[in-house]
Every structure is written in structure tokens, then in C-alpha cells.
Amino acid sequence: MSANAPDPKLRVAFFVDYGAIPVWVARLEQELRAATELDLVAVLVAPDRRRLERGSDDTIRWQDGRLIRSVKDRLQSMYRRLVDRNANFSNAWQPAPEPLFGDLPTLQLDAPVSSAQRDQLREFAFDVVVHCGLREVDESVLVHARLGVWSILGCTADISQERPAGFWPAMRGEATTRSILSVSFADRAPLVAAESWMGTSLHSTRDNVSRHYWKMLFSVPRALRRLVQIGEAAFWAECHVRFEQTLARRFSAEEPGVLQHAMFVTGSVLRKIRELLDTNLFDHRWRLRRAEKIGLTGRLNLREIQDNPPAVYRADPFLHTYNGETFLFFEEFCDKRDLGHLSVLPLDANGHPSGEAKVILERPYHLSYPQVFFANGEHYMVPESYQNKTIELYRARSFPYEWELEAVLIDQIDACDATLFEKDGLWWMFANVRVHSAISSQDECFLYFSEQLTGPWQPHPMNPVVSDCRRARPAGAVLDIDGRFIRPTQDSTFRYGYGLNFVEITELSTTSYSEVLSRHMPPQWRSGSIGMHTYAEAQNFAYVDELYRAFRWKK
């Protein structure tokens, strides 16, 4: 921490709305209490806005909006019954079941804030105020927060909002939702301290709002830890480099009108009907396809299709060459078992099959994404085993058909598509990690490093190093092309596995990380592909998996 800090720990206060506290704030309190770098000192409660806005005449007349509210309520009720019926919905804004904040001193603020309350604010001597509601933060609070008011509303913390962040992107039908952690100051412009992009839940404003808060609450302790770790000046400078310093437009304090409600409900119903027709008329299946290597400047030219066996689909190709022979490793998902296992297929010099596919690894849990590599004189494989909450390392007992468990690299982790490579004497691992069940597995890529392949593996201090559904999730082995390290990634803007990206790693160390998007490759509709999510290459050819539609009655 910087030399001008009065305490070795950051002193943190909460600013909450008057009334019930939502469950996402309860989880945020747990995360902040677990951070040894922080000291929670107070709870500031916004004025009771209902009492402030109540006039002398409490009668709500017809012309004051009763008819409009009735129409909105009917539209909302129809929308909930017809469209918004997500069984996995986790409401971040439902009231917390028990009292929060323990024995922290609580200050109920008046409007305007009295001189006695200003003195009490000064006595709390907080460095940071974490904004946990929709009400405006008073200027008197802002001036006492030495390191600003930290808000996960998706806009500046000093703007009052009628609707929580994430509502308007769903209402307007935007493909992605930008989530930010903003810091407001009394004497300078606000700053973006964390940023994330997720695919918008177009059927549900509630779900989109909740997923926003479940994900972004973890950005608060992460950013505060980072600030303590590298110091204030370095932290603010890093924020300017890592995140787009533009804030959400200031129209979100508005309430949607009847026409907007009607258009949203109509659009949601039509999208739902289209999805039901699509899922009932078509099967969406993955298959493998040979392609040309892309290099740094080429384009992805798709070639022969490998037909799937009956009641099976194949995905996640990885190519590995040994003693002049090339083998294609892939996931094989069996409809009957409802689980994926791993298989291998020998290829000739041009990438065509030269033998029969054989199953090499089955477990009582789902396996996929079999990254195979050679290290220390041995062949190793790291498959995805998220259902077992592990990242596992296997060693070839007899390459390429017999494998045995060598080590569990990381346990008790909800991780997808772990991808390893070696650079500068260290092993590095990318993996998309979910720290909460309501967060999408497409959104956040974490980085780990180790001196030994078998560990121990250390989390990178900037985790998640990428928080963007458009390019976070790994899509194949890291490529070394003319000394430039290229990370294939998935684009999940519109659906899981919509397209591919090629991202160049520009900075990689145990303290810093950065990458830039080099190329984006959407699905090639003319070739029958509606999605791609893994890329692998050998000497003179490549393989991808592609998502395609097949009429159900053709089965």
C-alpha cells in the first residue's frame, strides 16, 4: 500500500438502501470479511426515500398513473408466465434470510445529512465506501471516502437508478451486457476498476440482472486486494490500461414505458417460439472437420467432414504427432450414457483417417477437451473433468491407447477447458472458472502457474485475466507461431461455441498479463456450420469441431 495510507489495512464501509438487504450483498460481506487486507468499519444506510417522497395527499389518482401501472403489471404477468420460467434462476435481489453486518456500527442518514452525522462520518475514517444499492450516495459521504465510492451498478456511483444494472441491456435486446466496477471521487472523474462482458439473457431481465450482480460482487474484493498489493498509483494506472474508461449512458434512471414493456414481451415471446421450433425440429450436434492451417494471416478453409457414429457426437479435437505419426484426440459424447469419454483416431500425413477410432479413457463423470502434449520424456493428457470438480493430469502407460491418472493438479474447482503450455521455465494453465453457480462458464478465464507440471499451481494475482464471454474460454492448445504465442479462444456472444478467436499473448509473467485480439472467425454458414469452438493444427493441416443442424425426422 502507498506510504500515505493511515492504516496497513484498507478501512471499508458499506452504503446500503433503506429496507431489506439482498442476498448478493450478504455474499459480498462474506467475501470482504475473508480478505485479510480489509477492515470493515461501518454501515451507512440511505434515507428512506418513500418517506421523503410521500406528500400530504397519499391518494393516488387515476390520472397519476394507476392505469399505466395496471397495464405494465398485466404485461409483466404475461411475460413471467409465458417466457421467464428459468428453473435455474438464482435471484440476487431476494432479501437475505438473516441479519447482516454483525456488530458493525450503523448510521441511518438523513436528507440532507446533518452536521452531527457528518462528524460521525469523519470519525469512521473509512478509505473506501462499497455502494450496495440503488439510491444516490450523498456528497458528504463521497468527500470522506479517500479512495472513492466503489459501485457495481454498472455506472457512476453518484447516479440514482430506478432499475439495477443489467436490466436495460435485456430490455433493449442487446447481445452482450457490459458490467463494470466504477469508482467515484469527490475531486476527479470516475474510474473503471473492473470490467466484464456477458451474453445477455434475452428472455429475462431478472436473470440478466442477477447474473450481473452474482459475477461482479467478486470483483470488489479482487480489486481491493490488487490495490493493496501494488499500491494506489500503480493500481489506478493499471485500470486505465486494462479497462475501457467509458461509463454507461445516463438514461438508466428512467422507467420503461408501456410501449417498451409491450415490445419487450412481444419480442421475448417470438424468440421463445423460434427457439421451441428450432429445438423440436432440429438436432444441434457437433462433428469434426478437417481444415487448412491458418497461420498468422490466412483464413480458415474447411475441408472434409467426419461423420459421427449413430447416437454419438464428436468434438474438442487435439492433434499430437510422435515418431512421424499423427493422432487425433477428441471427445465422444454417447447419447445412451449421457456422458462424454475420450477417443483417438490415427491420421495419415494429409490428415485423413488411417485406422479406426478407439476409446482411451472413460470415467463415471463427463470427460472432454483432451489436451495431449509431450514433456519430460512422457506423453501427458489434461482432459476437462468439471463434473468431478477437478483438473486432472494423465500419463500414457502405452501411447496412445492406455492412460493412467498421474496427479490431480487442482481440486475442488469448477473449471472448463484447462489448457497448459510451458514458457520461460514455468508451466502456465488457462481455464475458465466459475466461482458461483449463477455465473456462466463462458465469462471468466483464470491463469495459474507452476515450476513443476504436477504442481503446486498458484493463481495469478490478476485473476480473472480475461472476463469477457467474447474471448475468455480456451479453444485449443496455445500456438507458437514464429515466436508469437497465440491463444485460440471461444466467442460465446450469441451461444456457447458461436465462433473462434485467435488472441496474441503480449505480456506474461507471475505478476502481469495482457493479450490482444488478433483475429475473429465467426461460423461459416454457407458450409453448414452454425458454431465452432475448438481449433487444433499439425504440420500441414488442422481440425475444428463445428456445430450443425440436422432434421430430427432424418434420424
Side-chain angles (χ1 to χ4, degrees):
M1 193 170 171
S2 67
N4 61 344
D7 193 281
K9 290 186 176 183
L10 284 183
R11 296 172 60 83
V12 178
F14 293 93
F15 186 92
V16 299
D17 291 342
Y18 180 87
I21 305 298
V23 291
W24 72 265
V25 178
R27 181 59 186 269
L28 174 60
E29 184 201 6
Q30 293 176 11
E31 296 296 320
L32 292 178
R33 286 190 182 275
T36 58
E37 303 89 344
L38 309 179
D39 188 14
L40 306 185
V41 297
V43 180
L44 312 178
V45 183
D48 182 0
R49 196 182 70 162
R50 294 170 300 176
R51 179 176 60 83
L52 295 174
E53 293 179 349
R54 191 179 301 128
S56 57
D57 182 7
D58 290 335
T59 303
I60 302 176
R61 295 184 297 276
W62 185 273
Q63 59 267 32
D64 288 336
R66 181 177 294 178
L67 176 61
I68 292 176
R69 281 194 295 274
S70 175
V71 173
K72 286 183 180 180
D73 290 343
R74 293 296 179 92
L75 288 169
Q76 188 78 1
S77 175
M78 181 175 66
Y79 151 70
R80 293 274 172 87
R81 289 198 307 269
L82 296 178
V83 180
D84 191 5
R85 302 170 62 185
N86 184 0
N88 299 319
F89 171 64
S90 178
N91 188 1
W93 280 88
Q94 66 182 354
E98 56 187 32
L100 303 182
F101 306 123
D103 57 353
L104 290 180
T106 300
L107 176 61
Q108 170 70 60
L109 296 173
D110 297 328
V113 176
S114 66
S115 59
Q117 290 175 337
R118 293 175 186 271
D119 292 339
Q120 197 165 354
L121 289 173
R122 191 178 300 109
E123 291 175 4
F124 286 143
F126 44 74
D127 300 305
V128 171
V129 173
V130 178
H131 189 189
C132 302
L134 303 180
R135 301 284 76 81
E136 184 176 0
V137 178
D138 190 87
E139 184 70 21
S140 60
V141 175
L142 197 61
V143 297
H144 287 93
R146 185 176 63 86
L147 297 177
V149 173
W150 295 52
S151 168
I152 63 173
L153 296 182
C155 73
T156 52
D158 57 350
I159 297 178
S160 176
Q161 293 195 355
E162 296 296 330
R163 295 286 181 169
F167 173 82
W168 281 104
M171 177 64 71
R172 296 194 303 271
E174 296 178 358
T176 55
T177 296
R178 184 190 182 208
S179 305
I180 64 172
L181 171 64
S182 65
V183 184
S184 297
F185 304 94
D187 57 351
R188 51 186 159 139
L191 178 139
V192 176
E195 180 184 51
S196 181
W197 293 85
M198 67 181 186
T200 303
S201 179
L202 296 176
H203 292 314
S204 174
T205 55
R206 296 187 309 155
D207 183 53
N208 208 57
V209 166
S210 291
R211 289 194 298 119
H212 164 86
Y213 282 94
W214 283 129
K215 178 170 62 172
M216 290 307 292
L217 74 87
F218 294 96
S219 69
V220 180
R222 290 169 185 162
L224 290 174
R225 286 193 187 101
R226 185 67 174 167
L227 188 151
V228 173
Q229 180 187 42
I230 65 176
E232 296 170 27
F235 178 77
W236 305 133
E238 182 178 88
C239 291
H240 279 281
V241 172
R242 292 187 68 189
F243 310 117
E244 181 185 348
Q245 294 298 319
T246 57
L247 300 175
R249 288 175 288 177
R250 300 191 175 200
F251 63 84
S252 51
E254 299 175 3
E255 274 286 297
V258 172
L259 180 59
Q260 285 176 297
H261 268 289
M263 292 177 63
F264 173 72
V265 172
T266 302
S268 296
V269 171
L270 291 176
R271 279 192 294 268
K272 195 72 173 181
I273 291 173
R274 186 170 64 246
E275 285 186 9
L276 289 173
L277 289 174
D278 189 38
T279 55
N280 283 278
L281 293 177
F282 298 95
D283 263 340
H284 292 182
R285 310 285 280 181
W286 292 95
R287 63 189 177 193
L288 302 179
R289 192 162 185 172
R290 196 173 73 91
E292 294 181 2
K293 287 178 63 173
I294 63 162
L296 290 173
T297 58
R299 63 184 302 269
L300 187 61
N301 295 314
L302 300 179
R303 297 305 184 206
E304 298 86 3
I305 295 172
Q306 279 198 16
D307 291 328
N308 292 327
V312 168
Y313 75 69
R314 291 172 171 175
D316 294 343
F318 280 86
L319 294 168
H320 184 67
T321 301
Y322 180 68
N323 283 344
E325 293 184 276
T326 301
F327 298 90
L328 174 63
F329 295 84
F330 53 91
E331 170 201 351
E332 205 165 44
F333 188 92
C334 178
D335 291 345
K336 186 176 181 180
R337 291 184 67 226
D338 197 29
L339 287 176
H341 57 256
L342 305 181
S343 298
V344 66
L345 177 68
L347 304 176
D348 63 22
N350 294 315
H352 300 103
S354 61
E356 296 295 324
K358 293 184 179 181
V359 177
I360 59 171
L361 191 61
E362 284 184 313
R363 285 290 182 265
Y365 44 88
H366 178 77
L367 294 176
S368 60
Y369 200 80
Q371 185 193 5
V372 178
F373 55 94
F374 190 78
N376 306 322
E378 301 278 359
H379 298 275
Y380 291 99
M381 177 170 62
V382 178
E384 177 188 284
S385 52
Y386 75 93
Q387 279 191 353
N388 198 42
K389 298 288 192 254
T390 53
I391 298 177
E392 301 170 350
L393 175 70
Y394 289 82
R395 182 174 55 84
R397 191 167 60 239
S398 176
F399 183 83
Y401 299 109
E402 297 180 14
W403 298 82
E404 61 184 6
L405 182 65
E406 178 74 5
V408 175
L409 302 184
I410 304 179
D411 200 1
Q412 297 303 311
I413 185 172
D414 189 349
C416 295
D417 299 345
T419 305
L420 282 68
F421 74 108
E422 191 176 14
K423 183 178 184 294
D424 299 332
L426 290 175
W427 283 95
W428 304 89
M429 180 200 303
F430 294 99
N432 262 41
V433 177
R434 296 200 309 169
V435 295
H436 190 279
S437 59
I439 302 173
S440 171
S441 61
Q442 322 309 325
D443 288 0
E444 296 193 325
C445 182
F446 284 60
L447 179 61
Y448 301 85
F449 59 90
S450 173
E451 294 182 357
Q452 304 294 328
L453 178 58
T454 54
W457 287 85
Q458 315 244 355
H460 198 278
M462 292 177 67
N463 278 338
V465 292
V466 182
S467 187
D468 190 338
C469 69
R470 300 170 298 181
R471 61 178 178 89
R473 187 161 171 167
V478 175
L479 309 174
D480 184 353
I481 303 179
D482 299 332
R484 298 163 64 179
F485 285 86
I486 307 297
R487 188 171 78 93
T489 68
Q490 298 183 29
D491 174 10
S492 296
T493 301
F494 302 102
R495 69 168 69 91
Y496 164 61
Y498 170 72
L500 290 173
N501 303 299
F502 291 86
V503 178
E504 182 176 356
I505 299 172
T506 55
E507 186 176 4
L508 178 66
S509 73
T510 57
T511 58
S512 61
Y513 178 82
S514 64
E515 64 179 32
V516 294
L517 178 62
S518 177
R519 305 181 61 203
H520 172 62
M521 295 185 179
Q524 298 183 17
W525 303 94
R526 292 182 179 179
S527 68
S529 170
I530 63 172
M532 296 183 294
H533 77 350
T534 313
Y535 172 87
E537 65 179 32
Q539 290 88 342
N540 58 349
F541 60 89
Y543 265 84
V544 298
D545 52 3
E546 65 174 9
L547 187 66
Y548 70 100
R549 286 189 182 96
F551 281 109
R552 284 186 179 273
W553 60 75
K554 286 189 176 182
K555 295 171 63 178

